Amino acid sequence: MPSKSRIELVRLTEIPLPAVMDLLNEPRNARHMPLAGAFYEAEAAEWVRSKDAQWDRHGYGPWGVLVDGAFGGWGGFQHEDGGADFALVLLPDQWGRGADVARAALAQGFEELGLDVVVIALPLTRSPTRAVARLGFVPDGEVVYGGAPFRQYRLTRETWVATR
């Protein structure tokens, strides 16, 4: 796997729905997504519409992630009370590219979209402390979504700028 990939962030509506469905139904990802269920065509189409609608409501939202021109997953920001919540879900063959994708998305979030605070809420099945610390995130307690507990991490624009 090359150390540097070409990362493109595009609107989710630009990604073919079957590719999105494959990602959303990927069992190796589902074990870390306690709120996810099975996605059939109608559910996946509604999921894409609702994610893309966040751009109109909040000025930011999730993207489709292209890695070297091929669909690799989705990631981006979703509005939460504590700040813009960053999520990233990649196809298993792209898992090693997560840091590159996260850096590209965070750069756009802080530098182009004007975000002040980004949070990450990760399920307890993940042990990401070192990985998120390398991006500048610090522990920020626990939150509960849909009855499931998550560890939360926080990154401010000031920290992002200072560490680049």
Side-chain angles (χ1 to χ4, degrees):
M1 179 180 310
S3 61
K4 205 61 168 158
S5 301
R6 183 172 46 91
I7 306 296
E8 296 174 78
L9 304 173
V10 301
R11 294 291 281 264
L12 275 167
T13 53
E14 296 179 36
I15 305 300
L17 191 58
V20 173
M21 288 174 57
D22 287 346
L23 175 67
L24 295 175
N25 289 313
E26 167 54 56
R28 290 168 287 182
N29 286 339
R31 68 181 176 183
H32 297 297
M33 299 172 66
L35 304 179
F39 285 87
Y40 301 98
E41 188 171 340
E43 291 88 358
E46 178 54 32
W47 182 88
V48 168
R49 276 191 296 278
S50 70
K51 295 295 185 192
D52 194 64
Q54 294 181 44
W55 285 95
D56 293 331
R57 283 195 305 273
H58 305 293
Y60 58 83
W63 292 285
V65 176
L66 301 179
V67 179
D68 296 328
F71 179 61
W74 74 272
F77 308 102
Q78 304 176 106
H79 180 73
E80 295 291 344
D81 290 337
D85 180 64
F86 179 69
L88 180 60
V89 178
L90 297 175
L91 289 164
D93 66 345
Q94 299 299 322
W95 285 351
R97 304 200 197 283
D100 290 340
V101 175
R103 277 190 284 279
L106 290 166
Q108 284 202 26
F110 287 119
E111 299 164 16
E112 296 177 27
L113 300 175
L115 299 177
D116 291 319
V117 175
V118 172
V119 295
I120 296 177
L122 296 170
L124 301 182
T125 59
R126 304 283 312 271
S127 301
T129 303
R130 286 193 310 260
V132 297
R134 282 193 294 271
L135 295 169
F137 285 87
V138 296
D140 191 38
E142 286 192 10
V143 294
V144 176
Y145 294 114
F150 293 81
R151 285 184 197 97
Q152 184 165 280
Y153 300 84
R154 177 174 299 275
L155 175 61
T156 64
R157 176 199 302 266
E158 293 79 15
T159 300
W160 175 260
V161 170
T163 59
R164 297 302 129 219

